[in-house]
Amino acid sequence: KSTFLCAVVGSCVGILVGGTMFLFGKPLLSLYAPGNDPVIAMGMHRMRIMGLTSFLCVIMEVGLGMLRGMGQSMLPTVSTFVGTILLRIGWVLIVFPMNPCLESLYWSFPFSWVLTSIFNYICCYFTYKKSKREYEAHLAMDGATARQ
């Protein structure tokens, strides 16, 4: 229940922040590139994709945090490495040549966040089931010891 709440609250904050950045993108980008309309247009394009999908990164991070909270340390590390580095390298080698534009590269981020999230939550499910079995076995052993 708390995991779901974390994902929902984090997603709402991510959508709110990303949406706010997108709504006020032109004035914000004008701080960095005053009067440079082509740069501002490219920045708005990036904000549209990255800002409005940043909540997916939050969902991924909640799954990683759950795994760490269940005592796993290597699994989230490997998952993050594969999901955020190797998947994006694969994207650049496979998808980008079919559509060689900046937008194609931007879409590699939400794509990797979604796939990594799916993997993390599957790992969370099996890690939780294993921990629950071990806990129940421990309780059963304690109960049998107490009766002796």
Side-chain angles (χ1 to χ4, degrees):
K1 293 176 188 173
S2 61
T3 301
F4 177 74
L5 183 62
C6 285
V8 168
V9 170
S11 295
C12 289
V13 170
I15 290 169
L16 182 68
V17 170
T20 302
M21 286 181 64
F22 181 69
L23 286 174
F24 296 104
K26 286 184 182 180
L28 289 171
L29 290 168
S30 294
L31 295 172
Y32 296 101
N36 196 337
D37 291 337
V39 170
I40 292 170
M42 289 303 295
M44 286 302 297
H45 192 65
R46 183 180 189 278
M47 277 192 191
R48 184 174 24 263
I49 295 170
M50 300 295 293
L52 298 178
T53 61
S54 63
F55 72 96
L56 297 171
C57 184
V58 172
I59 293 170
M60 178 188 75
E61 291 294 336
V62 169
L64 290 167
M66 284 174 26
L67 284 168
R68 289 184 192 106
M70 288 189 271
Q72 298 292 325
S73 60
M74 199 56 156
L75 186 56
T77 302
V78 172
S79 170
T80 302
F81 177 76
V82 170
T84 60
I85 297 173
L86 295 183
L87 275 176
R88 291 178 193 165
I89 290 172
W91 182 280
V92 168
L93 294 174
I94 297 166
V95 176
F96 182 69
M98 292 186 273
N99 188 18
C101 66
L102 202 51
E103 181 178 354
S104 176
L105 292 177
Y106 292 154
W107 280 109
S108 70
F109 286 84
F111 174 79
S112 66
W113 294 333
V114 167
L115 289 184
T116 306
S117 294
I118 292 168
F119 178 75
N120 289 337
Y121 285 97
I122 290 170
C123 290
C124 286
Y125 173 79
F126 287 109
T127 301
Y128 175 76
K129 288 289 189 186
K130 181 182 176 197
S131 296
K132 188 175 177 182
R133 276 194 313 271
E134 290 172 355
Y135 179 71
E136 288 169 350
H138 178 73
L139 286 179
M141 283 182 19
D142 282 351
T145 305
R147 281 182 283 224
Q148 290 178 358

